[in-house]
Amino acid sequence: MKEELLSSIENIIDKLKIDQSSDGSWGYSLEASPITDVYFIILLRLLEIEGEEELIAQLANRIISKQAENGAWKLCYDSDGDLETTVEAYYGLLFSQHRNREDENMKKAEQFIRSKGGIGNVNKLFTLVLLAISGEIRWPKSVSIPLEFTLLPNNFPVNKYDIVGHARVHFLPIIIMANKRFSIKNKYTPNIHHLYTIKKHPKDPLALFTSFLKLITLPTKLIPPLSKRLLKKSMRTTESFLLERIEPDGTLYSYAPATIYMIFAMISLGYTKQSQIIVNAIQGLKSLVYRFDEADHLQAATSTVWDTAIISFTLQESNVLPTNSVIKKANEYILSRQHLQIGDWIVRNPKAKPGGWGFSDINTMYPDVDCTAIALRALKRSSVYNNRFRNAWNKGLNWVLMMQNDDGGWPAFEKNLNRRIINLLIPFEEAKEFAIDPSTNDLTGRVLQFLGYDCGKTEKHFRIQKAIRWLKRQQEKNGSWYGRWGISYTHGTSAVVIGLLAVGVSPYDPAIRKANQWMLSIQNEDGGWGESCYSDVVKKYVPLKHSTPTQSAWALEMLIEINDKPTHEINRGIHYLINTLKRNDWTTVYPTGGGIPGSVYFYYHSLNHTWALLTLAKYKKKYLD
C-alpha cells in the first residue's frame, strides 16, 4: 500500500498544480441544487434581457441533467425527490422555453408534483417567494413583515441585526417586495395551474414573527400621516442598506440569490432594467456562472478563497515548500483577499478590528471564522520570514480571537447572534438555522486546530478552557458531535476531536475515546464512511449506506490524529480512499457541504482530492516517514 499511497499523493499534487489559475487561486465549482439556475432564467425572462439565449439554454441543460428517473429533482441522491425543488425546476424549464408540458420528462415531473399534493403543498420560503415574484400566487402573509421593522434601533429587543448577515440581505429585499405586493408577468410566464390538486394556493404557515412585528410597530399605524412618512423612510433606509452592501462586481454580499432578490426589489422601487445598479448586478451574476462541458450553473457564491486557502495549506502539509512558486502565488492571492474594512460584524463585536477573510473571490465585507482560520494556517509558514504576511497574520489572529462567543464556542459570521426567539417566531422551518449564527461544533473544533497547531495555545489558555467546556457539553450520548457546515456528525466529530487534541486534550480523555468508538462503529464494509444529508434535518446520524471520499477523509484524519500506530480500520480506510479517487459515480459527487438543512446542500468540487491529500499526507508523515 505504501507505493500506492505515495503515488496518490504525487498525483493529487500534480493535479492541483495544473488546476491553479494564473492569479494563484483555485476556481473550482461550488455546486448546489437547480434553484439558482431557475431564478436566473426567470430573472432574464421577466426583465426581457436580450442576447442571453445561449446562457438560458445552458442553464436549462444543467437543470435537465439533474432530473431523476422518477421525474423529480433531488436535494441528494438518497431521497425520492423534493417537491419544492421539482416545482422550481419544472417552472424554470417552462420559462426557458427549452421544454414544454408535453415533453416526456416534464410529464414525469408533473406526475411527481401531483403525487406530493401539488403546488398547494409547497411550504418552503424561497419557493413561495419565486411563485409570488412571478405572479403565480399572492404574497404569503408570513413574509409581509412591516417595513418599519428596519427602523428599530440596534438595542431594541428584536431588530434586523438579530438576523445574521447572509439572511439579512436575502430577507430585506423580500420584505420590500412583499410590502409592495410586487410581481411581474409577461409573454414568457407559463401557466402551471395544472400543478394544483385540491388547494388553490400553497398554505401559509403561522406567521408568529409577522404578527409580533405588526404588534410592536402598531403605534406607527395609529397616526396615518406619521405612518406614511415612516413607511417612506423605511423604504429609503432599506434601499440604502442594500446598496451599501453591493460588492465591486455588482452582486449583493457576493450571493447570487440575494442579488436576484435585490434586482427585483429595486425594480419594485422604480428602477429600470437599464439602471446601472441592475446592469452591474446582472453582470455580476454572470461572473458567478460556472461552465461545465454542455451546461452552465449559477453558483450561489464562489468558494475561491476557501478553496485556495485549504489547498495552499494542504500542499504545504504535503511538503510543498512555502518558497515554491505554487505556494507563493497562492499566498499572495490569499493576502490580497484579506478584509481590511469594517463589516456588519462590528454591531455585535464593537471592539474587534478588521482582519478576516471571506468565502468568495469578490467578497470584501463579509468575513467568516472558518475561512479566516484556514487562510491563517495557509499563511503561517510565509509569515515567519515576510513582514507583510506577518502583519496580515496578526490581524487575522486577533479577529478570530475576538469572534469567540460568550458561551465559549465560535460562530461563522457574527458574535453572540443566537437569539432563540428568532427561531421561535420564524414560520419557515428551513429558514430557522439560516437566520441565526450560533456557536457550532465544527467551526469551534477548526479554530482550536488553528490555535493549537499554529499558535501554540493549550488548554491552559482561558479562551481554550471555555471552548473545551462548551464542546464537551455539546457531545451526543453516542460520542459524536453535530457539524453545521459539513454533513454532518462525521464532519463535526472529526473537527472537534482534532481540535481538542491540538490544544492538548489527551487521546485517552473519555470524550475522545467515546468519539473514537463511535467513528469506528459507523465504518462501512468497504473501509470508508458515508453519511446522508438528512442527518442535518433529523439531527441524528443517518447512514448513507455507501461511502464518500470526503467523509471518509474526515473520519480517517481524526483516527490518524488519535492513534500512534496505524490500525486495521485506518488501513482499510486508506485503501478505500486511494481506490475511490479513481472512481466517478454518484458517491463521488454526493453533497457533503451544509447550507440550509433540508433545502440547500453543496458539493465542493475541490474537496475530494484536497481532503484526501491532507489525510494521506498525515498518514505518511506519522506512520511512514
Side-chain angles (χ1 to χ4, degrees):
M1 188 175 73
K2 179 179 178 180
E3 288 185 6
E4 278 189 300
L5 183 141
L6 296 176
S7 175
S8 293
I9 289 173
E10 289 305 314
N11 288 340
I12 298 172
I13 290 173
D14 289 344
K15 171 183 166 50
L16 293 174
K17 287 180 176 179
I18 291 169
D19 289 349
Q20 188 178 30
S21 300
S22 58
D23 67 354
S25 70
W26 279 270
Y28 291 113
S29 173
L30 178 69
E31 192 171 356
S33 77
I35 186 171
T36 49
D37 306 322
V38 169
Y39 261 108
F40 203 11
I41 288 172
I42 292 176
L43 172 75
L44 294 171
R45 287 303 194 206
L46 289 179
L47 296 191
E48 300 188 36
I49 305 296
E50 297 178 356
E52 301 297 349
E53 285 305 315
E54 182 185 353
L55 173 59
I56 290 172
Q58 295 284 2
L59 292 168
N61 285 345
R62 197 258 171 176
I63 296 170
I64 293 164
S65 72
K66 297 298 177 182
Q67 188 176 20
E69 282 296 316
N70 66 348
W73 276 263
K74 302 179 178 184
L75 293 171
C76 43
Y77 185 87
D78 51 319
S79 78
D80 67 344
D82 181 72
L83 171 61
E84 282 82 4
T85 306
T86 305
V87 168
E88 292 158 3
Y90 184 94
Y91 201 34
L93 288 175
L94 289 182
F95 255 106
S96 76
Q97 299 190 332
H98 288 273
R99 283 290 185 274
N100 63 62
R101 185 182 171 185
E102 300 308 314
D103 292 333
E104 193 59 37
N105 66 324
M106 297 293 275
K107 288 181 180 178
K108 290 170 74 174
E110 178 183 336
Q111 185 178 4
F112 175 83
I113 292 168
R114 294 177 66 84
S115 74
K116 296 295 182 181
I119 291 182
N121 273 350
V122 167
N123 61 14
K124 291 182 181 176
L125 172 63
F126 299 119
T127 311
L128 293 173
V129 169
L130 176 69
L131 295 173
I133 289 171
S134 58
E136 178 57 35
I137 64 170
R138 295 186 296 272
W139 276 94
K141 293 178 182 177
S142 310
V143 296
S144 299
I145 294 170
L147 205 57
E148 292 86 350
F149 162 66
T150 61
L151 299 179
L152 296 174
N154 298 348
N155 59 359
F156 198 80
V158 177
N159 64 80
K160 63 178 177 286
Y161 287 104
D162 286 323
I163 299 171
V164 69
H166 54 266
R168 265 195 310 275
V169 296
H170 284 81
F171 290 166
L172 289 179
I174 291 172
I175 294 172
I176 290 175
M177 290 186 284
N179 275 267
K180 302 283 283 186
R181 319 305 290 173
F182 169 77
S183 66
I184 303 178
K185 281 193 170 187
N186 63 12
K187 62 184 180 181
Y188 294 108
T189 305
N191 184 334
I192 56 171
H193 291 344
H194 56 284
L195 297 181
Y196 292 91
T197 54
I198 299 172
K199 301 184 181 86
K200 178 61 180 172
H201 291 290
K203 57 190 175 187
D204 197 1
L206 180 63
L208 285 176
F209 192 47
T210 304
S211 301
F212 176 71
L213 292 176
K214 282 180 178 177
L215 180 63
I216 63 177
T217 57
L218 179 60
T220 68
K221 308 292 186 184
L222 298 179
I223 307 173
L226 175 63
S227 176
K228 227 173 187 179
R229 287 201 298 272
L230 283 175
L231 183 60
K232 283 185 179 179
K233 183 178 180 181
S234 58
M235 283 284 186
R236 289 195 302 270
T237 300
T238 308
E239 177 187 351
S240 297
F241 182 93
L242 296 173
L243 295 177
E244 288 165 5
R245 284 153 183 79
I246 292 177
E247 295 285 1
D249 72 337
T251 62
L252 180 60
Y253 249 28
S254 77
Y255 293 119
T259 304
I260 291 171
Y261 290 148
M262 179 191 71
I263 291 171
F264 281 126
M266 294 305 165
I267 295 291
S268 78
L269 293 174
Y271 287 69
T272 68
K273 67 181 182 182
Q274 289 82 24
S275 300
Q276 200 60 49
I277 294 293
I278 307 298
V279 171
N280 291 348
I282 290 174
Q283 286 303 119
L285 289 170
K286 290 170 69 173
S287 74
L288 300 182
V289 171
Y290 191 94
R291 173 146 290 187
F292 299 101
D293 290 339
E294 296 182 357
D296 285 349
H297 176 44
L298 177 63
Q299 300 170 102
T302 66
S303 56
T304 316
V305 174
W306 161 257
D307 287 336
T308 303
I310 195 169
I311 291 171
S312 173
F313 168 71
T314 299
L315 287 172
Q316 292 175 73
E317 289 291 289
S318 307
N319 292 328
V320 179
L321 296 175
T323 53
N324 186 291
S325 62
V326 171
I327 303 301
K328 288 174 72 174
K329 284 171 61 180
N331 286 358
E332 286 290 347
Y333 168 85
I334 295 167
L335 184 67
S336 74
R337 294 309 191 266
Q338 187 174 28
H339 292 197
L340 299 176
Q341 68 181 53
I342 289 172
D344 285 347
W345 48 266
I346 199 73
V347 174
R348 292 283 186 269
N349 200 359
K351 294 182 180 180
K353 295 181 179 179
W357 276 264
F359 183 71
S360 298
D361 178 57
I362 42 77
N363 184 337
T364 65
M365 62 186 86
Y366 196 50
D368 72 87
V369 169
D370 200 19
C371 289
T372 301
I374 194 62
L376 291 169
R377 300 196 78 183
L379 298 180
K380 176 63 189 296
R381 294 173 176 89
S382 298
S383 71
V384 172
Y385 61 86
N386 186 304
N387 284 334
R388 289 188 302 121
F389 286 100
R390 187 180 304 115
N391 291 336
W393 198 86
N394 287 332
K395 288 177 183 177
L397 170 61
N398 290 332
W399 188 81
V400 168
L401 291 174
M402 291 295 290
M403 285 297 290
Q404 186 177 24
N405 282 335
D406 291 346
D407 62 15
W410 269 268
F413 300 98
E414 298 181 46
K415 185 173 182 175
N416 292 332
L417 197 59
N418 189 20
R419 300 287 307 282
R420 293 298 175 184
I421 189 173
I422 299 296
N423 269 356
L424 292 172
L425 295 173
I426 288 179
F428 299 96
E429 281 300 316
E430 82 281 5
K432 292 181 185 294
E433 289 189 57
F434 181 65
I436 59 174
D437 190 23
S439 297
T440 65
N441 301 319
D442 42 1
L443 297 198
T444 303
R446 285 228 272 267
V447 170
L448 290 187
Q449 292 176 37
F450 161 63
L451 294 177
Y453 289 140
D454 299 280
C455 305
K457 297 190 182 297
T458 69
E459 53 189 330
K460 295 178 182 178
H461 192 279
F462 77 98
R463 289 187 183 275
I464 305 298
Q465 289 174 7
K466 282 179 66 177
I468 292 172
R469 285 196 298 270
W470 182 80
L471 282 171
K472 287 191 172 182
R473 290 197 300 271
Q474 308 309 311
Q475 189 174 24
E476 304 285 334
K477 289 181 179 179
N478 63 8
S480 67
W481 276 273
Y482 171 70
R484 165 67 178 91
W485 299 102
I487 305 301
S488 232
Y489 291 88
T490 311
H491 181 253
T493 306
S494 174
V496 169
V497 168
I498 297 170
L500 292 176
L501 294 172
V503 294
V505 176
S506 168
Y508 300 104
D509 185 280
I512 304 289
R513 291 173 67 87
K514 203 172 181 183
N516 182 65
Q517 290 168 2
W518 177 80
M519 193 66 82
L520 293 175
S521 75
I522 63 165
Q523 187 174 22
N524 291 327
E525 288 186 9
D526 63 7
W529 282 259
E531 181 175 354
S532 172
C533 287
Y534 288 101
S535 287
D536 76 348
V537 176
V538 299
K539 297 298 184 288
K540 68 177 184 179
Y541 173 76
V542 178
L544 182 60
K545 300 179 182 176
H546 298 271
S547 299
T548 71
T550 301
Q551 290 170 330
S552 298
W554 290 336
L556 284 164
E557 185 189 10
M558 182 194 104
L559 295 175
I560 292 167
E561 292 278 353
I562 292 173
N563 293 277
D564 290 333
K565 296 180 180 180
T567 64
H568 173 65
E569 291 84 359
I570 290 174
N571 284 337
R572 285 178 59 220
I574 292 293
H575 182 75
Y576 162 80
L577 193 58
I578 290 170
N579 287 328
T580 197
L581 293 175
K582 305 168 187 174
R583 293 164 52 192
N584 183 21
D585 58 28
W586 71 266
T587 64
T588 61
V589 296
Y590 189 83
T592 55
I596 304 177
S599 289
V600 178
Y601 299 103
F602 294 109
Y603 165 53
Y604 289 77
H605 282 231
S606 63
L607 285 196
N608 284 348
H609 285 87
T610 304
W611 229 293
L613 176 60
L614 180 61
T615 302
L616 296 175
K618 282 192 174 187
Y619 183 99
K620 173 181 177 291
K621 184 176 182 179
K622 189 166 187 177
Y623 303 138
L624 300 180
D625 287 353

